[in-house]
Amino acid sequence: MKESPLERLARSYEIQTLYNHKLPLFENKKRFSYIQLVFLNMVERYHQLATDIAMGEENTEEGMEKDPLRVEAYFLWKSKKFKNMVKSRLETNNINTNTKGEDILYKVKFE
Amino acid sequence: MSRKEEIKKAREAIDFALELAKAKKIIKNNYIEFDYNGNKYRVRMPTLEEEELIEKKKALKLNKMLSEVDEEGKPVYLFRKQWNELYKKRGIDLDEREARIDHLNIEIETLLLELAKTKDKPEIDRIEKEIIKRKQEIAEIMSYIIDKYQYCIEYILFFFYKKYLLFLVLEKLENKKWKRVYKTFEDMLKETDTKFIATALESLSYLVDLRMDNIIKT
């Protein structure tokens, strides 16, 4: 799928360099517009993706950043993987995980 | 590559460069400037005071809509839920269509997870086509639902909010100073140049989230 100009800009060398060096991306420093917030989110995603590709993470490859659907798919897969990992760790540590997000019971042994 | 293809490719590259320049312009600051009929205009973010004023105006508008009744004493304006029930009585089930959207979204998620795991080009193209097909169907259903709810209180209130916000933040450059384009909201409503209002609204939609889907999902 073809990327939009905003996506192309977000992953550009110029914007990614500014972001990596924590330099301002916009002229205003507060009261960000809707599109600026959307853009910031994109910049962070491409930054994360570039790191993952460089590290050779599972399901990444050079060039995939040019396809927004593949980027969306990768981050969905990654977040699912992370959630499953947290869940299984809690289960192995014998912590009651409540999927509804209500109270979590911790077993504490007093000696 | 033939001469025609070369020209087409060059045109696409120019168009993309222009779009890129536009993207740079809209994210540069929290206001957006545009030219119209040789004049310079801008839309800016509303101040906190203006936001408070809009909320007050919205409350007044809602109050007015709720108190309006016809000759038989029936309310003129109905909420989304009431419209939904009326449509159901006429054999149009909008809940069913919303459920179809949910179902399509689940299918998209499954396809995306499939896409994430493949590096095979033909397979990537196949899955992407399936996703795009479903996204298009969602857009069509959304547009149908929005059309059906266009007279509900929530929609009218949202449309009023959009227009009032535009009235407050739309400015023209005059003698090196930014001044509000219309003295009153009623003056703006009398504007006959709909293209100008559409252009200004497009710029405003970059500053504030004005997506209609937000109403449907509530």
Side-chain angles (χ1 to χ4, degrees):
Chain A
M1 194 180 150
K2 230 175 165 184
E3 59 187 342
S4 71
L6 208 62
E7 283 158 338
R8 178 72 192 84
L9 188 63
R11 70 172 182 87
S12 68
Y13 177 72
E14 177 195 352
I15 293 293
Q16 287 295 321
T17 307
L18 290 174
Y19 186 72
N20 282 337
H21 291 88
K22 294 184 171 58
L23 291 165
L25 302 179
F26 316 122
E27 285 180 6
N28 55 312
K29 290 183 179 69
K30 53 186 178 179
R31 278 189 74 71
F32 297 108
S33 69
Y34 167 65
I35 200 80
Q36 285 179 324
L37 295 174
V38 170
F39 184 73
L40 262 180
N41 198 287
M42 278 182 191
V43 175
E44 165 56 26
R45 269 189 161 208
Y46 284 113
H47 166 76
Q48 187 61 53
L49 183 63
T51 314
D52 287 1
I53 293 172
M55 300 282 285
E57 291 286 345
E58 194 185 350
N59 290 332
T60 64
E61 66 173 343
E62 284 285 345
M64 68 180 284
E65 69 279 5
K66 290 174 190 161
D67 183 339
L69 264 186
R70 286 191 74 191
V71 176
E72 189 185 343
Y74 173 69
F75 281 105
L76 178 72
W77 170 82
K78 199 180 169 183
S79 78
K80 291 254 178 207
K81 188 185 155 197
F82 180 73
K83 273 181 200 162
N84 289 341
M85 193 182 75
V86 171
K87 207 178 159 191
S88 72
R89 271 195 194 165
L90 288 171
E91 275 164 6
T92 47
N93 289 327
N94 222 358
I95 295 168
N96 186 359
T97 54
N98 190 325
T99 48
K100 283 180 186 168
E102 292 162 2
D103 300 336
I104 295 174
L105 296 173
Y106 293 94
K107 282 185 181 172
V108 182
K109 198 176 172 185
F110 294 99
E111 297 194 5
Chain B
M1 196 188 285
S2 72
R3 179 103 178 103
K4 257 189 180 176
E5 281 171 334
E6 268 178 21
I7 293 171
K8 195 186 164 204
K9 221 177 169 190
R11 264 198 198 138
E12 277 173 7
I14 293 167
D15 284 347
F16 193 81
L18 286 172
E19 288 283 320
L20 200 64
K22 191 185 165 192
K24 277 185 184 176
K25 204 175 146 189
I26 59 169
I27 60 140
K28 199 174 86 176
N29 215 322
N30 58 0
Y31 59 81
I32 295 168
E33 291 181 9
F34 62 95
D35 295 312
Y36 193 86
N37 283 350
N39 293 310
K40 222 171 185 57
Y41 295 92
R42 75 168 185 183
V43 282
R44 55 165 177 81
M45 289 286 281
T47 62
L48 293 175
E49 248 176 44
E50 284 167 341
E51 277 178 2
E52 213 179 294
L53 177 66
I54 295 170
E55 286 310 309
K56 268 185 199 165
K57 294 282 177 188
K58 262 170 77 181
L60 280 171
K61 177 83 180 165
L62 178 63
N63 202 344
K64 209 176 155 190
M65 280 197 283
L66 290 178
S67 13
E68 211 169 314
V69 285
D70 64 12
E71 313 85 59
E72 293 169 21
K74 284 182 186 167
V76 173
Y77 299 100
L78 301 174
F79 285 103
R80 180 179 168 266
K81 263 198 166 175
Q82 293 169 303
W83 274 111
N84 184 301
E85 280 155 23
L86 277 178
Y87 277 123
K88 246 179 215 167
K89 281 179 193 164
R90 301 293 296 265
I92 300 168
D93 193 346
L94 294 172
D95 287 340
E96 219 171 65
R97 288 176 197 252
E98 284 191 34
R100 173 75 185 145
I101 292 179
D102 290 342
H103 179 76
L104 286 167
N105 274 326
I106 292 168
E107 280 185 0
I108 288 174
E109 199 177 299
T110 312
L111 284 164
L112 280 170
L113 290 172
E114 213 181 299
L115 178 65
K117 290 172 196 160
T118 184
K119 287 177 185 172
D120 180 47
K121 185 79 179 84
E123 186 62 359
I124 289 171
D125 290 344
R126 183 195 66 81
I127 302 171
E128 290 199 344
K129 269 184 194 158
E130 291 293 322
I131 294 172
I132 292 166
K133 211 168 86 185
R134 281 162 181 80
K135 285 194 174 187
Q136 277 167 349
E137 194 184 334
I138 290 178
E140 278 165 26
I141 300 172
M142 282 302 269
S143 140
Y144 178 84
I145 296 175
I146 288 169
D147 183 60
K148 287 284 170 283
Y149 285 136
Q150 63 175 308
Y151 302 112
C152 77
I153 289 175
E154 290 91 335
Y155 182 98
I156 297 170
L157 210 57
F158 179 72
F159 206 64
F160 170 80
Y161 159 75
K162 248 165 76 166
K163 286 190 288 183
Y164 204 87
L165 178 63
L166 185 67
F167 155 67
L168 291 175
V169 301
L170 179 60
E171 295 174 333
K172 186 181 178 184
L173 190 64
E174 280 176 323
N175 303 321
K176 291 181 183 170
K177 275 188 178 173
W178 289 104
K179 283 181 183 167
R180 205 173 268 171
V181 176
Y182 304 101
K183 278 188 180 154
T184 65
F185 179 56
E186 287 68 32
D187 286 346
M188 192 184 89
L189 296 181
K190 283 177 201 155
E191 177 64 68
T192 50
D193 191 351
T194 49
K195 198 182 158 202
F196 171 64
I197 297 293
T199 309
L201 268 175
E202 192 204 328
S203 295
L204 184 64
S205 70
Y206 295 125
L207 297 185
V208 185
D209 186 2
L210 296 176
R211 285 171 303 163
M212 278 303 299
D213 330 5
N214 295 337
I215 298 181
I216 304 304
K217 283 174 192 160
T218 51

